[in-house]
Amino acid sequence: MVPWHVTHGMNGAILVLPRDGLRDPAGDPLRYERAYYIGEQDYYIPRDENGEFKRYENPADSINDDIEAMRTLIPSHVVFNGVTGALQGDGQLTANVGENVLIVHAQSNRQSYPHLIGGHGDFVWERGDLGSPPRVDQESWVIGAGSAGVSVHTLNQPGTYVYLSHNLIEAFLYDAKAILTVEGEWNNDLMEQLTPPRDIT
């Protein structure tokens, strides 16, 4: 039952780099200091008559109820790296100012729309076609169902960035998002804060 195993976490990605490495659109070498994998997963967990998630002795016992839940096409969960909050809190991504961060984003069953709040995709291979020139300066892009895309982000300012699917319902109501914390010195030449932050009332 192919859709059953895919919606139970049996998926992933293998990154195969071109023999001479990644290249920018001009053909120059493109380096990165950190690489992260984000596996976006939709789950369809059956509920009982009271709306509570059901439990089973083993996975095979759940297959009929799982199929009924999958027929709705409405996931019970949409998460990054297997569980809610996996890439937040203690699991958040980290980087330093000036680094290039490569992100491999895979989604086996549905489309996804990556976006980095506070940044953008400097170089994007939307379908993982790393031998082709990347698209540049993307605000969001599409990861096709059953594929993986690669993006490189140059982080020029310290702060907290949110990497999410720009299906914002899934990002905020299902928690399909990751936190990227960047450490380093603020660069006023790029952006200067004229008024200090204040409490929201």
Side-chain angles (χ1 to χ4, degrees):
M1 180 59 180
V2 175
W4 184 82
H5 88 257
V6 167
T7 58
H8 281 68
M10 297 173 69
N11 52 75
I14 298 172
L15 178 65
V16 180
L17 292 170
R19 186 179 301 275
D20 59 350
L22 296 179
R23 301 278 173 170
D24 68 15
D28 296 325
L30 183 60
R31 300 187 60 83
Y32 53 92
E33 284 72 37
R34 297 173 193 253
Y36 290 110
Y37 169 76
I38 294 178
E40 185 174 344
Q41 178 69 57
D42 51 318
Y43 292 108
Y44 301 79
I45 310 299
R47 297 177 187 264
D48 64 20
E49 60 277 1
N50 298 317
E52 301 294 326
F53 291 117
K54 296 174 77 171
R55 294 190 174 272
Y56 301 87
E57 288 294 319
N58 62 67
D61 289 344
S62 72
I63 190 166
N64 291 327
D65 290 345
D66 290 339
I67 290 171
E68 289 307 306
M70 290 177 347
R71 284 183 193 281
T72 68
L73 300 178
I74 300 171
S76 58
H77 301 78
V78 182
V79 300
F80 286 173
N81 288 18
V83 297
T84 298
L87 300 177
Q88 303 169 34
D90 292 340
Q92 67 187 305
L93 313 178
T94 60
N96 295 311
V97 167
E99 289 183 332
N100 287 339
V101 174
L102 180 143
I103 296 176
V104 178
H105 187 129
Q107 192 3 322
S108 63
N109 201 50
R110 307 164 75 223
Q111 287 188 331
S112 184
Y113 311 93
H115 173 73
L116 182 67
I117 296 177
H120 62 279
D122 291 276
F123 302 99
V124 175
W125 294 266
E126 195 171 56
R127 302 291 179 169
D129 51 340
L130 300 178
S132 301
R135 298 177 72 182
V136 297
D137 300 329
Q138 301 296 294
E139 283 297 314
S140 63
W141 48 98
V142 179
I143 305 297
S147 69
V150 175
S151 54
V152 174
H153 308 266
T154 303
L155 303 165
N156 294 315
Q157 295 283 36
T160 300
Y161 297 75
V162 181
Y163 180 97
L164 46 69
S165 171
H166 215 291
N167 178 332
L168 298 177
I169 295 167
E170 293 181 358
F172 288 93
L173 300 183
Y174 285 82
D175 209 29
K177 60 181 175 288
I179 302 299
L180 171 59
T181 301
V182 179
E183 300 286 341
E185 295 297 318
W186 185 266
N187 183 351
N188 274 341
D189 289 338
L190 291 176
M191 179 186 297
E192 184 170 358
Q193 180 177 295
L194 300 178
T195 304
R198 63 184 193 280
D199 292 336
I200 298 174
T201 58

